């Protein structure tokens, strides 16, 4: 009897491994087939989708795509929402409403809501669940439900080279300069100068940089050592596989 039980357990484990492998391979195929690129846009007809740009599958809510322009080599994670206009089917005019520069990264579950113009500069990276919006609810009339009152809209501009941490929010009217760091969970409004670090809700500047003084307050960690020029991806993989004793 114990021998039969062990045989049954081995068959069950083998069956589970086989099914799991098939499901994983099938899901990988679905992800590749469902991704949106310039060559394979599917049902989405963006105003522009640049070379090398990819929207991972499954996509989030996407509408107003004729007024959305995506630069080259952008990475749009799974379940990312990209919308232009307050609802589908509107004529938003001749100019794009939402623009992403080259090399923009939007992490999984992020939302970019552009009821009026939203611009994200080249090589800006956003972590998961970042929320960028040009629209906010109004509550001027105390006798009407907030959701039924006409919202306020202000353009949003995020400069090139920024980094927005997980769960950061950028509110209507915000203007971020070049190479701004937004801490995870920060809520940004108003103007942020170039080369600043902001944190908190509402976000405030906690560190700045200039040519004369460098970072103030000074950074507490040493500068990372850059990868030497000429190092190939294969060499980096080989280093990653080394054990501590071999390094």
């Amino acid at each position: 009897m114990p021998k039969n039980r062990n045989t049954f357990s081995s068959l069950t484990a083998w069956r589970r491994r086989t099914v799991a492998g098939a499901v994983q391979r099938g899901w990988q195929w679905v992800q590749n087939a469902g991704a949106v690129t310039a060559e394979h846009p599917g049902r989405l007809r963006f105003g522009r989708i640049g070379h090398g740009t990819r929207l991972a599958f499954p996509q989030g809510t996407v509408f107003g795509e004729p007024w959305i322009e995506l630069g080259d080599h952008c990475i749009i994670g799974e379940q990312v929402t990209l919308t232009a206009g307050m609802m589908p089917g509107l004529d938003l005019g001749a100019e794009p409403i939402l623009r992403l520069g080259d090399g923009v990264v939007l992490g999984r579950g992020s939302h970019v809501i552009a009821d009026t113009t939203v611009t994200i500069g080249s090589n800006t990276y956003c972590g998961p669940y970042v929320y960028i919006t040009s629209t906010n609810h109004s509550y001027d009339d105390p006798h009407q439900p907030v959701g039924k009152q006409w919202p306020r809209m202000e353009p949003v501009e995020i400069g090139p080279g920024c980094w927005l941490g997980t769960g950061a929010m950028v509110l209507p009217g915000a203007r971020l300069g070049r190479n701004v760091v937004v801490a995870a969970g920060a809520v940004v409004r108003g103007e942020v100068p170039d080369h600043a670090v902001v944190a908190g809700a509402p976000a405030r500047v906690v560190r700045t940089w200039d040519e004369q003084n460098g970072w103030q307050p000074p950074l507490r960690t040493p500068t990372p050592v850059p990868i030497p020029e000429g190092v190939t991806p294969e060499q980096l993989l080989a280093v990653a596989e080394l054990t501590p004793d071999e390094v």
Side-chain angles (χ1 to χ4, degrees), residues 235-247:
Q235 290 173 321
L236 290 175
L237 288 173
V239 171
E241 293 172 358
L242 295 176
T243 65
D245 294 336
E246 295 173 316
V247 175

Side-chain angles (χ1 to χ4, degrees), residues 181-237:
V181 175
V182 178
V187 180
V188 183
R189 52 192 293 185
E191 296 207 19
V192 179
D194 294 349
H195 308 294
V197 180
V198 297
R204 62 184 182 87
V205 176
V206 296
R207 180 170 276 124
T208 58
W209 180 91
D210 62 52
E211 290 280 1
Q212 183 175 0
N213 300 308
W215 286 105
Q216 296 298 325
L219 298 176
R220 296 190 294 268
T221 55
T223 302
V225 178
I227 297 173
E229 292 186 12
V231 174
T232 66
E234 291 76 16
Q235 290 173 321
L236 290 175
L237 288 173

Side-chain angles (χ1 to χ4, degrees), residues 107-200:
R108 173 197 295 267
S110 293
H111 288 61
V112 184
I113 311 299
D115 293 341
T116 187
T117 56
V118 172
T119 304
I120 302 178
S122 298
N123 299 312
T124 285
Y125 286 25
C126 299
Y129 308 106
V130 168
Y131 193 91
I132 301 167
T133 181
S134 65
T135 304
N136 207 346
H137 292 288
S138 61
Y139 49 89
D140 302 59
D141 188 342
H143 305 295
Q144 288 290 329
V146 173
K148 292 186 176 181
Q149 299 187 45
W150 194 254
R152 286 187 169 87
M153 305 176 190
E154 294 183 75
V156 171
E157 184 177 347
I158 298 174
C162 294
W163 164 251
L164 282 64
T166 300
M169 299 182 66
V170 179
L171 299 182
R175 297 187 60 173
L176 281 63
R178 175 184 294 271
N179 284 26
V180 169
V181 175
V182 178
V187 180
V188 183
R189 52 192 293 185
E191 296 207 19
V192 179
D194 294 349
H195 308 294
V197 180
V198 297

Side-chain angles (χ1 to χ4, degrees), residues 56-138:
F57 180 86
Q59 290 91 37
T61 300
V62 179
F63 63 76
E65 60 269 22
W67 292 274
I68 299 175
E69 293 189 352
L70 309 177
D72 297 340
H73 303 291
C74 295
I75 300 174
I76 314 297
E78 296 178 14
Q79 298 290 358
V80 169
T81 291
L82 297 172
T83 65
M86 296 187 68
M87 62 188 70
L90 299 178
D91 185 348
L92 304 178
E95 296 297 320
I97 301 295
L98 171 57
R99 293 187 180 95
L100 271 61
D102 297 341
V104 170
V105 175
L106 297 177
R108 173 197 295 267
S110 293
H111 288 61
V112 184
I113 311 299
D115 293 341
T116 187
T117 56
V118 172
T119 304
I120 302 178
S122 298
N123 299 312
T124 285
Y125 286 25
C126 299
Y129 308 106
V130 168
Y131 193 91
I132 301 167
T133 181
S134 65
T135 304
N136 207 346
H137 292 288
S138 61

